Amino acid sequence: MPRTSWLVAAALAVVAGVARAEVRVTDDAGAEVVLAQPAQRIVSLAPHLTEQLFAIGAGDRIVATTDFADWPEAARALPRVARAHNVDLERVAAAKPDLIVIWGSGFPPATLAALRRLG
């Protein structure tokens, strides 16, 4: 069962109070994620994650999302780079994200590994 601690970590990485402060968090896989500053370009790979990012005030930082991410209304205008169990890795890379938020059980392990290789 996926946990939401990574979303809390992402929220901290996104809306940290100091615009240039380094952000260090540990994701659900136990890997340390280090950003030189709070995330500015986010790819959200699940509709509910897109909603949550908008809810925490980070909607303007989302550069791509998935099919069916339709709330709030502004999410409908975002480029689509994934759909259920399928991610277009080239389009994700072209979006030049500094943070990718993903629902861990939403994609096969090979897809998760490929996303990690994108850096």
Side-chain angles (χ1 to χ4, degrees):
M1 178 66 73
R3 299 184 316 258
T4 58
S5 61
W6 57 267
L7 186 56
V8 172
L12 292 172
V14 170
V15 295
V18 180
R20 295 286 178 204
E22 180 179 79
V23 179
R24 287 181 179 272
V25 295
T26 302
D27 69 13
D28 276 358
E32 184 177 42
V33 177
V34 180
L35 300 175
Q37 64 185 14
Q40 300 300 307
R41 298 184 58 80
I42 303 167
V43 170
S44 173
L45 294 179
H48 69 284
L49 298 176
T50 301
E51 280 186 43
Q52 292 171 351
L53 286 164
F54 272 96
I56 65 168
D60 62 335
R61 298 179 189 192
I62 304 172
V63 295
T65 190
T66 66
D67 288 355
F68 306 112
D70 59 3
W71 185 260
E73 183 71 28
R76 294 179 185 193
L78 294 168
R80 307 306 187 186
V81 296
R83 62 180 319 130
H85 307 293
N86 186 19
V87 177
D88 185 331
L89 295 171
E90 289 180 10
R91 292 187 73 200
V92 170
K96 299 181 180 166
D98 51 17
L99 180 68
I100 299 172
V101 292
I102 187 167
W103 181 27
S105 64
F107 295 97
T111 300
L112 297 175
L115 288 166
R116 282 189 188 95
R117 285 192 299 273
L118 290 177

